[in-house]
Amino acid sequence: MLFLLKNKKTYLFNSFKYTNSTYQSSINGSESLSTNVYTFRYIFGLIQALPERWRLTIDIVPNICADFKEPIGNEDFIFYGAVLAMKRVGPNREYGFGLAYASYVSLFEGPFIIPIYTLIKKKGKLTTRMILPTYFQQLYELNKNTQVGYRIDIDGNFHNVLYNKELAEFDLNAISNIKLTAGPYIQRKLFGDLYLNGKIGIIPVNYFSVLDDKRDKELSFFTGSNIYAKFGLSLLK
């Protein structure tokens, strides 16, 4: 949801996301390990209008990522944040740049800061949006309520888990996943500011890490391509 403050130059926005995933694996080709993991993500942000058609956006994104088999601790909290400066250079084009931060990324075994570039471009009924290296999408406006196109995402998850140590060959304390997804994308306005988003496609790159209680890698591997579907509701103003 988006709120305009009295000075008419500052906006506050926030949203909440919840996901439930299941990890399954086998030990020595026979014994099976399975666990459900949950992510609660709160997104709070600020947009500040600046001179010369610039604006500054700050995102603060705390996450709780766990299987909830034990009481929540500090290790279950993951923090993301971003600072982005954008400039409108015409009625149909904006660009910007900034920095994104993650308190833990298993691929780099610790905190990670990365530069980001964003572009919003409209040409007729076609809209291109990107925040590189996070996502790229193009949507075509079929009518005033429906847009269709495609989207490419780099996404990741981190969850602390509790396995039966008598079954596990490794010290399994956390699972991290980074994946590339690509496929058709649809955005449909239901009513008011409520939209339905849907995406069906493939996962050509899927990287997993198994971590111990010190967040050191016990095991890492790539899985084969897979098919996925993702649907959700969003409030857009």
Side-chain angles (χ1 to χ4, degrees):
M1 299 185 69
L2 186 67
F3 305 93
L4 175 63
L5 300 187
K6 290 183 178 180
N7 62 12
K8 295 184 178 181
K9 291 185 177 182
T10 305
Y11 297 81
L12 299 178
F13 62 89
N14 69 93
S15 64
F16 177 81
K17 294 183 179 181
Y18 162 78
T19 58
N20 178 6
S21 305
T22 300
Y23 289 107
Q24 291 182 324
S25 60
S26 61
I27 299 297
N28 297 325
S30 56
E31 297 170 312
S32 178
L33 301 176
S34 177
T35 186
N36 290 323
V37 292
Y38 310 90
T39 299
F40 295 88
R41 175 174 295 179
Y42 178 69
I43 303 172
F44 174 79
L46 177 147
I47 302 174
Q48 177 65 50
L50 301 174
E52 304 295 333
R53 290 188 165 186
W54 282 92
R55 73 172 185 268
L56 181 68
T57 301
I58 300 174
D59 292 341
I60 299 173
V61 189
N63 299 259
I64 299 177
C65 309
D67 60 3
F68 294 98
K69 293 181 180 179
E70 291 184 323
I72 296 175
N74 292 335
E75 67 276 8
D76 297 312
F77 289 88
I78 300 293
F79 177 81
Y80 302 114
V83 177
L84 182 66
M86 292 193 67
K87 180 177 178 65
R88 179 180 291 273
V89 292
N92 298 315
R93 187 170 180 267
E94 298 180 58
Y95 73 91
F97 52 88
L99 292 173
Y101 169 81
S103 61
Y104 185 82
V105 177
S106 64
L107 188 63
F108 304 101
E109 301 185 11
F112 185 63
I113 298 177
I114 188 172
I116 53 178
Y117 171 78
T118 184
L119 174 70
I120 302 174
K121 184 178 179 181
K122 296 181 180 181
K123 186 176 182 180
K125 294 186 176 183
L126 183 67
T127 300
T128 301
R129 292 177 181 269
M130 67 178 78
I131 298 181
L132 301 179
T134 305
Y135 79 87
F136 177 93
Q137 77 173 35
Q138 286 190 312
L139 292 178
Y140 181 81
E141 183 180 332
L142 290 180
N143 53 55
K144 65 178 182 179
N145 293 323
T146 306
Q147 297 184 79
V148 296
Y150 69 95
R151 179 169 172 135
I152 302 170
D153 287 271
I154 296 178
D155 196 9
N157 294 292
F158 178 91
H159 295 95
N160 285 293
V161 297
L162 178 64
Y163 277 125
N164 186 336
K165 292 186 177 180
E166 295 179 357
L167 293 178
E169 183 178 350
F170 302 99
D171 182 7
L172 303 179
N173 186 263
I175 296 175
S176 179
N177 169 229
I178 299 174
K179 60 182 177 291
L180 173 69
T181 63
Y185 185 78
I186 183 171
Q187 187 176 85
R188 169 74 178 178
K189 183 177 181 179
L190 300 178
F191 57 86
D193 298 322
L194 184 64
Y195 288 77
L196 171 67
N197 305 295
K199 183 181 174 185
I200 299 174
I202 62 171
I203 307 175
V205 179
N206 205 2
Y207 174 79
F208 283 89
S209 297
V210 177
L211 312 175
D212 61 19
D213 56 1
K214 297 180 181 179
R215 289 191 178 175
D216 293 327
K217 287 184 184 178
E218 290 274 341
L219 181 67
S220 61
F221 55 92
F222 287 91
T223 65
S225 298
N226 209 337
I227 299 174
Y228 79 99
K230 184 177 181 180
F231 297 90
L233 297 173
S234 59
L235 288 170
L236 302 175
K237 286 184 177 290

